[in-house]
Amino acid sequence: MIEIKDIIEKYPREKRYTLAMLQDVQKQFNYIPRQALMMISEYVDTPLSSLYSMATFYKALSLKPKGKYIIKVCDGTACHIRSSMVLIDEIYNILKIRIGETTEDGMFSLETVNCLGSCAIAPVMVVNDKYYGKVTPAMVREIIKEYGGEKNE
Ligand code: FES
């Protein structure tokens, strides 16, 4: 198992590598543990508050552990007018999580994105890297089942 220290020390002790370090930590642990922020802060001699700002500014970075499966529902214009919000409601009905939340068992996180570049098959939903197009609420239930998640019924 790669340690935080190993990730950080791949980089020179320079501030300009801060984001790359954070991205690497995110990739390895699926979130950025507080300990990593403290170690990076010391390593590149940057205040912890700057690292917090960075970690909260970039959507790809998370200070909270994310689920094993990240569900992204597109809420770009094409998907929005084809009722993407109904999909989000259905996800809440099934998993009891809202946008930005993770299920208690750590299996699923829910996010929205602006456009996945697949407007022709709107509304679009992605689980990790797998795309689903023309998604209906009934399909949402089936898709979540594929990943072993069905809290209701
Ligand atoms: S708006 Fe959803 S894929 Fe483009």
PDB file of all heavy atoms in Angstrom, residues 108-123:
ATOM      1  N   PHE A 108     -21.665   4.278  -2.324  1.00  0.00           N
ATOM      2  CA  PHE A 108     -22.052   5.202  -3.396  1.00  0.00           C
ATOM      3  C   PHE A 108     -21.906   6.664  -2.985  1.00  0.00           C
ATOM      4  O   PHE A 108     -22.258   7.027  -1.868  1.00  0.00           O
ATOM      5  CB  PHE A 108     -23.524   4.991  -3.787  1.00  0.00           C
ATOM      6  CG  PHE A 108     -23.809   3.638  -4.374  1.00  0.00           C
ATOM      7  CD1 PHE A 108     -24.219   2.593  -3.561  1.00  0.00           C
ATOM      8  CD2 PHE A 108     -23.674   3.407  -5.729  1.00  0.00           C
ATOM      9  CE1 PHE A 108     -24.472   1.337  -4.084  1.00  0.00           C
ATOM     10  CE2 PHE A 108     -23.930   2.156  -6.267  1.00  0.00           C
ATOM     11  CZ  PHE A 108     -24.330   1.114  -5.442  1.00  0.00           C
ATOM     12  N   SER A 109     -21.417   7.468  -3.926  1.00  0.00           N
ATOM     13  CA  SER A 109     -21.453   8.921  -3.775  1.00  0.00           C
ATOM     14  C   SER A 109     -22.227   9.478  -4.955  1.00  0.00           C
ATOM     15  O   SER A 109     -22.219   8.885  -6.039  1.00  0.00           O
ATOM     16  CB  SER A 109     -20.047   9.518  -3.802  1.00  0.00           C
ATOM     17  OG  SER A 109     -19.314   9.108  -2.694  1.00  0.00           O
ATOM     18  N   LEU A 110     -22.876  10.598  -4.739  1.00  0.00           N
ATOM     19  CA  LEU A 110     -23.656  11.217  -5.813  1.00  0.00           C
ATOM     20  C   LEU A 110     -23.116  12.607  -6.126  1.00  0.00           C
ATOM     21  O   LEU A 110     -22.911  13.419  -5.229  1.00  0.00           O
ATOM     22  CB  LEU A 110     -25.133  11.311  -5.385  1.00  0.00           C
ATOM     23  CG  LEU A 110     -26.063  12.047  -6.343  1.00  0.00           C
ATOM     24  CD1 LEU A 110     -26.109  11.372  -7.716  1.00  0.00           C
ATOM     25  CD2 LEU A 110     -27.471  12.139  -5.762  1.00  0.00           C
ATOM     26  N   GLU A 111     -22.895  12.844  -7.415  1.00  0.00           N
ATOM     27  CA  GLU A 111     -22.429  14.156  -7.863  1.00  0.00           C
ATOM     28  C   GLU A 111     -23.221  14.566  -9.103  1.00  0.00           C
ATOM     29  O   GLU A 111     -23.785  13.712  -9.778  1.00  0.00           O
ATOM     30  CB  GLU A 111     -20.944  14.092  -8.272  1.00  0.00           C
ATOM     31  CG  GLU A 111     -20.028  13.714  -7.131  1.00  0.00           C
ATOM     32  CD  GLU A 111     -18.575  13.547  -7.565  1.00  0.00           C
ATOM     33  OE1 GLU A 111     -18.273  13.662  -8.773  1.00  0.00           O
ATOM     34  OE2 GLU A 111     -17.755  13.294  -6.685  1.00  0.00           O
ATOM     35  N   THR A 112     -23.207  15.848  -9.396  1.00  0.00           N
ATOM     36  CA  THR A 112     -23.744  16.280 -10.686  1.00  0.00           C
ATOM     37  C   THR A 112     -22.591  16.855 -11.507  1.00  0.00           C
ATOM     38  O   THR A 112     -21.581  17.297 -10.946  1.00  0.00           O
ATOM     39  CB  THR A 112     -24.839  17.367 -10.543  1.00  0.00           C
ATOM     40  OG1 THR A 112     -24.326  18.412  -9.734  1.00  0.00           O
ATOM     41  CG2 THR A 112     -26.109  16.807  -9.958  1.00  0.00           C
ATOM     42  N   VAL A 113     -22.745  16.821 -12.800  1.00  0.00           N
ATOM     43  CA  VAL A 113     -21.739  17.401 -13.692  1.00  0.00           C
ATOM     44  C   VAL A 113     -22.463  18.255 -14.724  1.00  0.00           C
ATOM     45  O   VAL A 113     -23.662  18.102 -14.917  1.00  0.00           O
ATOM     46  CB  VAL A 113     -20.892  16.317 -14.405  1.00  0.00           C
ATOM     47  CG1 VAL A 113     -19.892  15.685 -13.463  1.00  0.00           C
ATOM     48  CG2 VAL A 113     -21.756  15.253 -15.015  1.00  0.00           C
ATOM     49  N   ASN A 114     -21.700  19.120 -15.384  1.00  0.00           N
ATOM     50  CA  ASN A 114     -22.358  20.059 -16.291  1.00  0.00           C
ATOM     51  C   ASN A 114     -22.681  19.528 -17.672  1.00  0.00           C
ATOM     52  O   ASN A 114     -23.734  19.801 -18.205  1.00  0.00           O
ATOM     53  CB  ASN A 114     -21.542  21.340 -16.401  1.00  0.00           C
ATOM     54  CG  ASN A 114     -21.682  22.143 -15.130  1.00  0.00           C
ATOM     55  OD1 ASN A 114     -22.729  22.074 -14.483  1.00  0.00           O
ATOM     56  ND2 ASN A 114     -20.646  22.846 -14.742  1.00  0.00           N
ATOM     57  N   CYS A 115     -21.806  18.809 -18.282  1.00  0.00           N
ATOM     58  CA  CYS A 115     -22.130  18.180 -19.567  1.00  0.00           C
ATOM     59  C   CYS A 115     -21.091  17.102 -19.785  1.00  0.00           C
ATOM     60  O   CYS A 115     -19.904  17.333 -19.627  1.00  0.00           O
ATOM     61  CB  CYS A 115     -22.107  19.176 -20.725  1.00  0.00           C
ATOM     62  SG  CYS A 115     -22.430  18.365 -22.319  1.00  0.00           S
ATOM     63  N   LEU A 116     -21.559  15.933 -20.111  1.00  0.00           N
ATOM     64  CA  LEU A 116     -20.632  14.814 -20.297  1.00  0.00           C
ATOM     65  C   LEU A 116     -20.302  14.623 -21.767  1.00  0.00           C
ATOM     66  O   LEU A 116     -19.678  13.646 -22.155  1.00  0.00           O
ATOM     67  CB  LEU A 116     -21.247  13.543 -19.709  1.00  0.00           C
ATOM     68  CG  LEU A 116     -21.323  13.528 -18.174  1.00  0.00           C
ATOM     69  CD1 LEU A 116     -22.360  12.540 -17.691  1.00  0.00           C
ATOM     70  CD2 LEU A 116     -19.964  13.205 -17.577  1.00  0.00           C
ATOM     71  N   GLY A 117     -20.772  15.542 -22.596  1.00  0.00           N
ATOM     72  CA  GLY A 117     -20.479  15.468 -24.027  1.00  0.00           C
ATOM     73  C   GLY A 117     -21.271  14.388 -24.744  1.00  0.00           C
ATOM     74  O   GLY A 117     -20.903  13.980 -25.839  1.00  0.00           O
ATOM     75  N   SER A 118     -22.344  13.932 -24.134  1.00  0.00           N
ATOM     76  CA  SER A 118     -23.161  12.889 -24.762  1.00  0.00           C
ATOM     77  C   SER A 118     -24.624  13.323 -24.809  1.00  0.00           C
ATOM     78  O   SER A 118     -25.527  12.534 -24.529  1.00  0.00           O
ATOM     79  CB  SER A 118     -23.050  11.583 -23.961  1.00  0.00           C
ATOM     80  OG  SER A 118     -21.712  11.193 -23.847  1.00  0.00           O
ATOM     81  N   CYS A 119     -24.830  14.587 -25.170  1.00  0.00           N
ATOM     82  CA  CYS A 119     -26.176  15.172 -25.101  1.00  0.00           C
ATOM     83  C   CYS A 119     -27.203  14.408 -25.939  1.00  0.00           C
ATOM     84  O   CYS A 119     -28.390  14.422 -25.619  1.00  0.00           O
ATOM     85  CB  CYS A 119     -26.142  16.632 -25.547  1.00  0.00           C
ATOM     86  SG  CYS A 119     -24.891  17.597 -24.705  1.00  0.00           S
ATOM     87  N   ALA A 120     -26.740  13.736 -27.002  1.00  0.00           N
ATOM     88  CA  ALA A 120     -27.677  13.019 -27.878  1.00  0.00           C
ATOM     89  C   ALA A 120     -28.393  11.903 -27.133  1.00  0.00           C
ATOM     90  O   ALA A 120     -29.483  11.490 -27.533  1.00  0.00           O
ATOM     91  CB  ALA A 120     -26.933  12.450 -29.081  1.00  0.00           C
ATOM     92  N   ILE A 121     -27.782  11.425 -26.047  1.00  0.00           N
ATOM     93  CA  ILE A 121     -28.430  10.341 -25.304  1.00  0.00           C
ATOM     94  C   ILE A 121     -28.888  10.825 -23.921  1.00  0.00           C
ATOM     95  O   ILE A 121     -28.972  10.057 -22.963  1.00  0.00           O
ATOM     96  CB  ILE A 121     -27.519   9.086 -25.185  1.00  0.00           C
ATOM     97  CG1 ILE A 121     -26.148   9.449 -24.574  1.00  0.00           C
ATOM     98  CG2 ILE A 121     -27.357   8.403 -26.527  1.00  0.00           C
ATOM     99  CD1 ILE A 121     -25.338   8.247 -24.097  1.00  0.00           C
ATOM    100  N   ALA A 122     -29.184  12.116 -23.819  1.00  0.00           N
ATOM    101  CA  ALA A 122     -29.642  12.699 -22.545  1.00  0.00           C
ATOM    102  C   ALA A 122     -30.970  12.067 -22.113  1.00  0.00           C
ATOM    103  O   ALA A 122     -31.766  11.706 -22.983  1.00  0.00           O
ATOM    104  CB  ALA A 122     -29.814  14.208 -22.714  1.00  0.00           C
ATOM    105  N   PRO A 123     -31.205  11.969 -20.819  1.00  0.00           N
ATOM    106  CA  PRO A 123     -30.290  12.294 -19.726  1.00  0.00           C
ATOM    107  C   PRO A 123     -29.257  11.196 -19.488  1.00  0.00           C
ATOM    108  O   PRO A 123     -29.555  10.021 -19.629  1.00  0.00           O
ATOM    109  CB  PRO A 123     -31.229  12.430 -18.526  1.00  0.00           C
ATOM    110  CG  PRO A 123     -32.386  11.551 -18.830  1.00  0.00           C
ATOM    111  CD  PRO A 123     -32.525  11.527 -20.331  1.00  0.00           C
TER     112      PRO A 123
END
